[in-house]
Amino acid sequence: MMHRRHLLTLLALGAGLGAIACGTPPTPSATNAASKTSATSAPIELTISVAASVQDAMKDVQTAYQQTAPNVTITYNFGSSGSLAQQIAQGAPVDIFLSASQKWMDDLEAKGEMASGSRQDLLQNAMVLIVPLDKTDITDFKDFETDAVSKIAIGEPESVPAGGYAKEVLTALNLFDTIQPKLVFGKDVRQVLAYVETGNVDAGLVYATDAQVSDQVQTVAIAPAETHTPIVYPVAVVEDSDQQAAAQAFVDFLSSETAVAIFQGYGFGMAE
């Protein structure tokens, strides 16, 4: 069995580690003093749609950013990237989108939904096999074909990026077709994690960062990097945002030292 504390060392997610935080730009004025006063007093509200796997880090980001911009109110909308992308495409009032999949960001860009030039690749992750703490007869993906496993949880492949990556892994390992009757699908990666935590399934495939935040599961295997496309999280400003400047300042802040420190604590790698 592999202890969760050793997981980050094995992942080799990249040279940098990162975090997200939120920022707001200074308000133009005649003098620096006036600018500072305006920037710190004018209330700004940002709505940020965020992939479920980043929610813990983003909560810490919100706390950290309050020290920098107390006038900015952040509202998070957590969920599967596919569902969040659909909401944006349907006109939901969102300022920023942080996706766990390039695909959904690509789709929105193709539809003209994202502000030109605002997109950047932010984070990296990895896929891992987790089981309940008391489970001792599952040590690798090959055990999925044995009687030790009757239910395996993954995200819905068509709408949940973690589910799409999981399907890629299982397909590359020549397992997907044979174990389909055992599969249980979650609406997002955190539901998959919950299924394993509660023992409702024997195993699940989640992001390494999700496994790290839970003390009710153990990681027993890491999916080989070559079995799935790179797990990269892009972020961008929504074209219809009425807070374009503040939203872009938030996106810029994602690579700040403060943000990097937060993401490092949650096991994310920085995208190159």
Side-chain angles (χ1 to χ4, degrees), residues 3 5-6 11 19 29 45 47 66 91 93 131 144 149 153 158 169 179 182 190 193 215 220 226-227 230 256:
H3 197 285
R5 290 180 180 273
H6 297 160
L11 295 181
S29 62
E45 297 183 3
T47 299
Q66 281 299 113
V131 298
F144 284 176
V149 180
E158 298 305 315
V169 171
I179 67 170
K182 299 181 179 183
R190 286 307 173 91
L193 179 65
D215 59 3
V220 295
E226 64 271 16
T227 61
S256 71

Side-chain angles (χ1 to χ4, degrees), residues 50-56 78-81 84 98 100 188-190 210:
V50 179
S53 55
V54 199
Q55 61 184 282
D56 297 293
F78 299 117
S80 71
S81 298
L84 297 176
L98 174 57
D188 57 42
V189 71
R190 286 307 173 91
D210 293 298

Side-chain angles (χ1 to χ4, degrees), residues 99-181:
S99 173
S101 167
Q102 300 275 30
K103 173 185 181 299
W104 294 111
M105 189 69 78
D106 290 344
D107 288 350
L108 288 176
E109 276 198 321
K111 296 174 181 176
E113 297 288 350
M114 310 312 294
S116 177
S118 69
R119 176 177 177 175
Q120 60 180 264
D121 291 339
L122 185 67
L123 304 171
Q124 298 180 73
N125 216 328
M127 291 300 295
V128 298
L129 167 57
I130 59 172
V131 298
L133 287 178
D134 59 355
K135 198 75 173 172
T136 60
D137 51 359
I138 302 174
T139 61
D140 196 42
F141 293 97
K142 65 180 182 296
D143 294 323
F144 284 176
E145 294 183 295
T146 70
D147 293 338
V149 180
S150 60
K151 292 182 181 180
I152 306 160
I154 67 172
E156 170 56 54
E158 298 305 315
S159 61
V160 181
Y165 295 126
K167 181 178 179 180
E168 288 181 5
V169 171
L170 296 173
T171 300
L173 297 176
N174 296 315
L175 291 171
F176 187 76
D177 290 336
T178 59
I179 67 170
Q180 280 205 52

